[in-house]
Amino acid sequence: MRRVALVTGSAKGLGVQTVLNLARTGHDIVITYRSSEELAHKLKQDTEAFGVKCAAISADVSSKEDCDRLISQSLSEMGRIDILINNAGPYIAERKKLTDYTDHEWELMLNGNLSSVFYLARRVLPLMRENHWGRIINFGFTQANEAPGWIYRSAYAAAKVGLVSLTKSMAQEEADTGITVNMVCPGDIRGIYKEMTVQEAEAMAQETCSDPTIRPCTGEDIAKVILFLCSENSGGLNGNIIEINGGLTLQQLIDKHGNETDSN
């Protein structure tokens, strides 16, 4: 029996390497996308090349109705959900003070980054309990565990910091059920590096960097940690907030690039 992993927002960005690494290790996959239908179906083909089953389902995780439909359709097509990876995370690139957010933007940030996890987890946790095994992995941002202030990103930061507490609360509630709940906090992974392998980034560093031993983090760096969290050997890790940022703080990442990270 292969385990089934549902990876939200996985048609592009950081979700791509997570999907491919899980497929490579024998997991059936549900890919979700909001508008990137062509990319989703290309990734579906790449995933199925590993000999696993894959479904690509359109869903806006900021919508409760879409979250419910996503779970129902995933169960209809795959029969089970063993792993839930909440990678999708709406993000507003424009720098705004709190008073400049519209109601819609505030609700989008909170619903897409926090409430979506509640809607999805509420549906999958009973299924995981029946199997006495499950993995939920949420995405945060660097230093989310410390509840830092993040100027011009108040809505996004508030949602993700709230998700830290929700992650820990779910982990405690499910500690005796065989289900673990953890969070990964990527650093500022930009552009093509989001979908790169470590080997590709190392090769690029050899060509372009004055010090080729230094390379940016990649999507595969995140995927490798997620892969371990999804494994049988990770049962002792529960309620952890794991930084994957090359050792840089949020402020150092902002100073390094002159502006903030973009979305997943």
Side-chain angles (χ1 to χ4, degrees):
M1 179 200 70
R2 288 198 296 260
R3 299 204 187 277
V4 177
L6 166 58
V7 188
T8 67
S10 46
K12 60 181 181 178
L14 293 180
V16 170
Q17 282 296 324
T18 294
V19 165
L20 293 175
N21 275 267
L22 285 167
R24 188 178 293 113
T25 52
H27 295 78
D28 290 334
I29 305 291
V30 177
I31 297 165
T32 84
Y33 64 95
R34 187 170 60 87
S35 56
S36 305
E37 182 175 7
E38 185 175 345
L39 292 174
H41 287 285
K42 171 63 168 61
L43 182 58
K44 181 178 184 290
Q45 292 177 347
D46 294 342
T47 300
E48 290 172 336
F50 291 106
V52 301
K53 186 176 179 180
C54 181
I57 300 174
S58 172
D60 178 357
V61 297
S62 68
S63 160
K64 176 186 179 299
E65 292 72 23
D66 267 23
C67 287
D68 286 339
R69 178 181 56 78
L70 170 60
I71 297 301
S72 297
Q73 190 171 342
S74 297
L75 291 172
S76 176
E77 295 196 32
M78 310 299 278
R80 58 189 296 138
I81 299 171
D82 303 285
I83 298 164
L84 170 63
I85 301 174
N86 292 297
N87 167 69
Y91 181 87
I92 295 173
E94 183 182 353
R95 293 157 59 90
K96 291 188 173 191
K97 289 188 175 181
L98 177 67
T99 52
D100 295 325
Y101 279 94
T102 66
D103 291 352
H104 171 72
E105 289 170 332
W106 176 263
E107 291 164 4
L108 175 64
M109 292 297 97
L110 265 64
N111 290 339
N113 289 289
L114 178 57
S115 296
S116 61
V117 177
F118 164 68
Y119 297 138
L120 295 171
R122 183 173 60 177
R123 290 286 305 273
V124 302
L125 279 169
L127 307 174
M128 293 176 175
R129 288 176 195 148
E130 289 179 7
N131 296 323
H132 308 289
W133 194 95
R135 299 288 186 263
I136 296 178
I137 300 164
N138 301 320
F139 271 63
F141 65 87
T142 292
Q143 292 184 289
N145 197 32
E146 301 172 26
W150 193 352
I151 189 170
Y152 307 124
R153 299 288 181 253
S154 55
Y156 180 82
K160 288 297 190 183
V161 169
L163 185 55
V164 170
S165 181
L166 183 60
T167 297
K168 294 178 179 180
S169 298
M170 287 194 293
Q172 292 172 14
E173 290 177 356
E174 304 301 329
D176 61 350
T177 66
I179 300 166
T180 65
V181 187
N182 293 285
M183 175 181 277
V184 295
C185 293
D188 195 9
I189 304 176
R190 293 177 167 249
I192 59 174
Y193 288 99
K194 289 183 177 184
E195 298 182 12
M196 267 191 182
T197 66
V198 170
Q199 185 177 13
E200 288 169 341
E202 288 175 343
M204 181 172 289
Q206 290 287 337
E207 296 177 0
T208 62
C209 296
S210 57
D211 183 353
T213 64
I214 300 175
R215 64 162 179 83
C217 288
T218 70
E220 189 182 27
D221 287 300
I222 311 303
K224 286 182 174 181
V225 175
I226 291 174
L227 193 61
F228 177 73
L229 292 174
C230 292
S231 73
E232 302 292 337
N233 297 323
S234 67
L237 287 174
N238 195 22
N240 287 268
I241 312 300
I242 303 170
E243 304 274 347
I244 314 170
N245 55 27
L248 298 178
T249 67
L250 175 62
Q251 188 58 52
Q252 286 171 327
L253 289 168
I254 292 172
D255 292 344
K256 179 181 178 182
H257 293 288
N259 50 35
E260 297 87 342
T261 182
D262 50 6
S263 62
N264 292 344

